Structures are given as structure tokens and as C-alpha cells.
Amino acid sequence: MSDDGRENNGSENVPSRQRTRFPGISSRAYEHPADRSALVALRKLSGFDTVFKALSGLLPERSLRLLFLSDSVRVSDQQFTHLNDMLRDACYILDLEKVPPMYVNQDPQPNAMCIGLDEPIIVVTTGLVELLDEEEMRAVIGHEVGHALSGHAVYRTILLFLTNLAIRVAWIPLGTVAIMAIVTALREWFRKSELSADRAGLLVGQDLQASMRGLMKLAGGNHLHEMNVDAFLKQAEEYEEGGDLRDSVLKILNVLPRTHPFATVRAAELKKWAESRDHQRIMDGHYPRRDDDKNTSVSDSFRESASHYATNIKSSKDPLMKLVTDIAGGAGGLGGRVRRGFDGFTSTPEGNEEPPAESAQ
């Protein structure tokens, strides 16, 4: 291909505008620190590949591939050609050598996924295709190609299998306890992997506003004339800052069963990364190369992840995170702050307040 992304023989449709390409880019360049440290550790485990190849015999991967082949539309030069162009372009930008097969599945729920143990396959629903415009869809396809480049498809397939297995054995006393413990841990990784893939989508689309619009549409539907990016991001700020310790606990409980972070949180995280020095360095051509992945240090990745979390906790405006920071810093009066933070759990409705303890005696 030439510098503007066009093949010299003119046989391939190409992006509508010039975009920067990242030859040999490693997924480490855009991976969220928590996602990256988990993946590096897994890849370094002795016998890891053997275990998962053995497990693949138990997973219904072949069944899934046959299902999509028989009951969905495969994207190609003849079918959904505009999606095929975006897919090939995304693989070209992220330098993914083998273009994964992509299917469009009839489902009104907007969704996309990248699954598979041996080779990744990408599936997008008709609900998503109908919801997003070209630039927004380009970011989503880049998101899924980012999953493929990171090797996320393997773990996502296992999570899908274990979640279905937990449902099937739910009738067995304590049958789901061990499985759900693994599922919960995988979901926590999964949520971080989504933040990584959002970054990959931005590297492919190279249009932050399009990425923001896509996330807004996932939250509020196809009503852009009724929505505003700045106001949407303000929601994320209010979500992080608002409430007391009760709300902090409720946030944790709300997110535990989810595989994806909340849309406003994803938008805020992506905007923060887009404005970071790390993103600018990638755009300038300074990024880790996959040729060096084998030399990646597990301990360095864990240290980076720990540093990231420590920085986030210190800068967080969430009441619980502030409390953690104060505890670490030895702040005084924490007992009173904790009590006041949770008073609402036991308070009675307004107008029916019970007298203070000293008045009741």
C-alpha cells in the first residue's frame, strides 16, 4: 500500500481520509496497565498454551463458528462491503497480518464481540450497524481488531463458556461457587480489556469525537441532536465525585456483574488517554514493537499496574478512594468520617426521624 493507505493496483477500497499507520505496533502500546500486567503474566506461565489447547476441546468454539457461518452474514467484498473496507483498513493501521473473519448477526441489541481460541472472529449485530455512522463504526471495528491483536479473544471465549456453564450447574448446591469466583475475576479483567480496546479503536479511527459519539449512542440511542459530548462527560465527573461512602459501595455492586465499564466512564477514560503524552508518542511513531514482546518483564508490568492504581486512587474524587488515601496517609478522625458516610444506610425517611440517642434515654 502507498502512504495514503491505497493499494497501488487499486483493487482495495480505502479509508476516506489519510490516517497514520503503526507498523509492528505491540498491543502493549495501548493496553490499560491492569489489562497488560494480567496478559503478560498469563503469557509467561509455563504450559499456558498447552492447558488452553486442552481446554479448547471442551469449548464449543467449532459450534460457534458453524453457527455464525450458517445463520449470519459474512462480511466480504460482496456482502457489507463498507464494513469489509473498514475491517481491512483497521488491520492495516494496526499491522495485523491476518484479517479475521467478521459476521453481521441479526440482533436489535447493539453489540460487537471478538471471540475464538485458535483464530479470532468478529461479530457485530444489526442493531449496532444501524445505530452508528461510518466514523463511529470505524472506531468500533478498530476496537475489535485491538482485541484480536491483544489476544483477548481467547480469554473472552473462556468467560463466555464459564458464564454459560455457571447457569447450567446452578441447580447443584454450591455448584456455581468456584466457577463464579473465576467468572468474577475474569469480568474484572474483561472490563479493563474494554478500556484497552477503546484506545485501539481511537488509534484506528483517529477521531476522538466519533469515539465519543459512539459511546453516547450506546448509552442513549440514535438521538445525537438531543445529546452533547461535554454534558455526557460531565455525567462521568458527577458519577465519580458524587455521593458518599454508601454510593461508593453501590458503584462497586453495580459494576460487579457487568462485562463492560459504564459508557460515561469509558468516554472519560478514553478522553483522558487521548490527551495523554502516551497517546501523543504513539501518534508520533514512538511505541513498543511486538518484536520485543518476548523480552517484556512481568515484574515491570506489575509495577506499572500498581503505580497506575496508586496514582488513580490519590487523584480520585470518589469518597471511598479518598478514605483509602487518608488511611494510607494516617489522617485523623477517620472513624467519624466512616460513621457519617454510612449513616444513610440506617437513617429513617425524612419526617419520621428518630430522636438522637441522648434524647431517647
Side-chain angles (χ1 to χ4, degrees):
M1 285 189 180
S2 61
D3 290 340
D4 65 356
R6 298 179 182 275
E7 278 191 344
N8 294 327
N9 61 15
S11 63
E12 180 183 11
N13 291 325
V14 294
S16 56
R17 61 180 174 84
Q18 183 175 339
R19 289 176 173 82
T20 301
R21 183 174 182 251
F22 309 102
I25 189 171
S26 167
S27 60
R28 291 181 291 118
Y30 58 80
E31 284 166 353
H32 186 281
D35 171 24
R36 188 187 313 146
S37 61
L39 287 178
V40 169
L42 283 172
R43 291 165 182 161
K44 291 286 185 178
L45 284 178
S46 177
F48 175 76
D49 291 340
T50 303
V51 170
F52 274 95
K53 284 180 180 178
L55 184 59
S56 67
L58 302 175
L59 299 181
E61 181 180 12
R62 294 179 68 88
S63 175
L64 283 174
R65 290 180 182 276
L66 289 172
L67 178 63
F68 289 123
L69 185 63
S70 63
D71 205 31
S72 301
V73 176
R74 183 163 58 191
V75 172
S76 67
D77 290 330
Q78 292 80 40
Q79 301 184 119
F80 287 101
T81 56
H82 70 295
L83 296 182
N84 189 52
D85 294 339
M86 293 181 197
L87 175 63
R88 293 173 66 86
D89 183 43
C91 293
Y92 175 71
I93 289 174
L94 293 181
D95 200 15
L96 187 65
E97 294 182 3
K98 187 172 182 179
V99 179
M102 184 162 79
Y103 295 89
V104 176
N105 180 248
Q106 171 60 31
D107 186 343
Q109 182 71 27
N111 196 14
M113 60 181 174
C114 179
I115 58 174
L117 290 176
D118 296 323
E119 295 181 0
I121 59 173
I122 296 172
V123 181
V124 296
T125 65
T126 51
L128 188 69
V129 174
E130 293 162 4
L131 177 66
L132 304 181
D133 67 23
E134 179 179 344
E135 291 300 309
E136 296 156 7
M137 195 69 199
R138 190 182 298 278
V140 168
I141 291 177
H143 174 111
E144 299 305 327
V145 170
H147 278 313
L149 181 58
S150 290
H152 289 161
V154 172
Y155 318 114
R156 291 160 70 90
T157 305
I158 292 170
L159 177 59
L160 179 65
F161 170 73
L162 290 177
T163 302
N164 291 335
L165 180 62
I167 295 173
R168 292 179 183 178
V169 301
W171 59 275
I172 303 175
L174 302 179
T176 61
V177 174
I179 295 175
M180 288 311 299
I182 299 173
V183 167
T184 299
L186 278 173
R187 279 177 178 161
E188 170 60 17
W189 161 78
F190 197 111
R191 289 188 290 270
K192 296 302 184 290
S193 77
E194 287 300 309
L195 300 179
S196 297
D198 283 344
R199 296 174 178 184
L202 180 60
L203 291 178
V204 168
Q206 299 175 25
D207 184 344
L208 180 60
Q209 290 302 308
S211 294
M212 295 290 107
R213 291 198 309 269
L215 289 169
M216 281 201 308
K217 284 184 176 182
L218 289 176
N222 194 13
H223 304 282
L224 277 180
H225 62 289
E226 298 284 356
M227 296 186 283
N228 177 275
V229 171
D230 291 334
F232 189 64
L233 291 171
K234 184 69 177 177
Q235 287 181 229
E237 184 179 341
E238 184 178 338
Y239 172 79
E240 181 184 2
E241 294 179 3
D244 51 24
L245 291 177
R246 293 168 299 168
D247 296 302
S248 297
V249 173
L250 291 174
K251 290 175 188 177
I252 296 172
L253 295 177
N254 283 342
V255 81
L256 278 178
R258 294 176 60 91
T259 55
H260 288 61
F262 294 115
T264 58
V265 174
R266 291 173 65 182
E269 285 279 343
L270 184 59
K271 184 173 186 294
K272 185 189 304 181
W273 186 72
E275 296 171 347
S276 71
R277 186 167 176 267
D278 288 342
H279 175 254
Q280 188 56 53
R281 283 179 58 81
I282 295 173
M283 297 305 298
D284 291 341
H286 305 294
Y287 50 80
R289 310 282 169 152
R290 66 188 67 148
D291 289 342
D292 298 325
D293 283 351
K294 60 182 178 296
N295 300 320
T296 303
S297 166
V298 177
S299 58
D300 287 347
S301 296
F302 276 119
R303 275 196 295 270
E304 185 177 352
S305 179
S307 174
H308 170 83
Y309 276 115
T311 301
N312 277 4
I313 289 174
K314 288 180 181 179
S315 62
S316 176
K317 298 176 182 178
D318 180 85
L320 182 58
M321 294 300 100
K322 286 183 179 179
L323 180 63
V324 170
T325 302
D326 288 345
I327 291 174
L334 291 178
R337 289 181 58 187
V338 172
R339 179 180 56 78
R340 289 193 299 274
F342 285 97
D343 274 348
F345 275 127
T346 57
S347 62
T348 55
E350 192 172 328
N352 296 310
E353 295 182 358
E354 295 181 2
E358 55 269 31
S359 301
Q361 290 176 352

